[in-house]
Amino acid sequence: MTAPTASDPGLIEPGEFLTEEFRVDPFPLYRRLRDHEPVYQDKFQNRWIVSRYEDIWAIYKNNAQFTRAVYDPRGKFKFGSDTPLGQTLNELGEGPDYVWLRGIVAGEFVGNRLLARVPLIERIAADIVGRFLANARADRAAGQAARGRVDLVAQFSARFPIRVIAGMLGLPEADNDYFEHIYDELFAGNGYGRAHFRRGMKARDELFAYLDPLIDARMAEPRDDLLSTFCHAEKDGAHMTRDQIRGYVALLLVGGGDTTHKAIDAMWWNLLRHPAQYEAVRDDPALMDRVFTEMLRFDGSNHWQRRRAKVEVELRDRVLPVGATAWLGLGSGNRDERVFKNPDRFDIFRDDLYFGKELRTGYWKDGVASHLGFGQETHFCMGYALARQESVIASRILLETLKNPRLADVPNEGIAFPPPGRGGVRGLQHLDIDFDL
Ligand code: HEM
């Protein structure tokens, strides 16, 4: 499908969101939205698109008028029925059930508990890197290639974070290949149409059946892992239901896997396309933290989050009716020229972005703005510190391993929303890197 040609840039057609151009490069349309229709009613997909940084942040702060809940115990929707993840806190709003569920493991992904996981993260990254390096050396020894080549997506990042989160959950390491497969399938469930949905639901049923004996075992005998934490969490004498435990595991496998995997690829894609910045990082690996932050601003894994209006809300010159779905355009807000200078330039040295550890509330610090890549406020990404640790540790190990890395001379559409039929967040489908051996 090609984009309708609008002679007036302010005339935005709903069909433009469905084009191949938009899938790969949504930024020109984001800019037109910000400039001409910052609160745009997409009548085709029945949603309101909010594209300016300030407005996104204002909605994030406004739990009085907006909620993330799709589940209302008094409504018709059955909790966990319409998603391949099952029952998760994603369907709840901001009430006590949500707060309890978030609190059960949120502390595991930050601070000292996270630091205790660093050896696990390092071991898994080094192990996967070691394997592709050994393959490259074997190819050279067999006279097949003078240099090394790795598809970072298939041979590293699609494997790495899923193994870390499975390890933290306490799932058997021997089944790691299965988790990679199942999370691809769960994601496929988010594609358009019933066929995709059925595929995702089949994967979910399979995963849940796989988990049940593990849940029984942890109920009987807890270990030092997140699955045991779920099984024994208690509030006023109540425990998590089996469906909630299953859903939480699915949420962490999917939420913790795909986003971070795509983040690592995006860091390397951006670095290798900016050789001077790559050289600066090679000479001072501590800059890898900046690469992570700027990557999340420039083109992070999550471009959209949804909120529902609980009451009629006036936003700029528009009125969102009760029940309206607002799509918060994080990918657009991060390129808002009202906040960031030259927003379309990838620059780890920019002076208008907050490069410290993530800001969950109050987006300004030291006179500069935070990226929106982890959302803001109440539902701020639970795995933000884990994702940063994983991405930075893995990238430093890659930096030590890959001598003279450069993009291989093969076509690559770059960072894009997944093609139809493939689920997941925005990212690269492959990333071929050549290096010296
Ligand atoms: C670079 C990698 C990641 C990105 C870009 C990312 C992005 C996000 C965003 C934008 C949200 C906000 C949702 C909203 O506004 O409703 C979110 C929430 C969440 N993320 Fe992440 N995420 C990443 C890594 C992770 C990891 C590693 C985990 C696993 C621990 C994780 C688990 C979650 C959970 C459970 C929520 C829901 C939190 C809540 O509603 O309270 N994420 N993430």
Side-chain angles (χ1 to χ4, degrees), residues 100 233-240:
W100 180 55
E234 195 223 299
K235 185 184 147 205
D236 304 331
H239 293 276
M240 284 177 74

Side-chain angles (χ1 to χ4, degrees), residues 60 68 98 102 255-256 259-260 302 305 307 373-375 379 381 383:
Y60 263 133
R68 197 181 60 183
Y98 159 75
R102 177 163 172 131
T259 44
T260 312
N302 270 347
Q305 291 297 329
R307 291 295 182 271
F374 284 130
H379 297 284
C381 176

Side-chain angles (χ1 to χ4, degrees), residues 60 68 89-90 98 102 109 165 248 251-252 255-256 259-260 263 292 296 301-302 305-307 330 372-376 378-384 386-387 390:
Y60 263 133
R68 197 181 60 183
L89 49 72
N90 272 352
Y98 159 75
R102 177 163 172 131
F109 303 119
I165 196 77
Y248 221 137
L251 172 67
L252 292 183
T259 44
T260 312
F292 181 76
L296 280 177
S301 330
N302 270 347
Q305 291 297 329
R306 282 177 279 183
R307 291 295 182 271
L330 311 183
L372 293 173
F374 284 130
Q376 279 281 297
T378 309
H379 297 284
F380 192 74
C381 176
M382 196 194 285
Y384 70 95
L386 171 65
E390 288 180 284

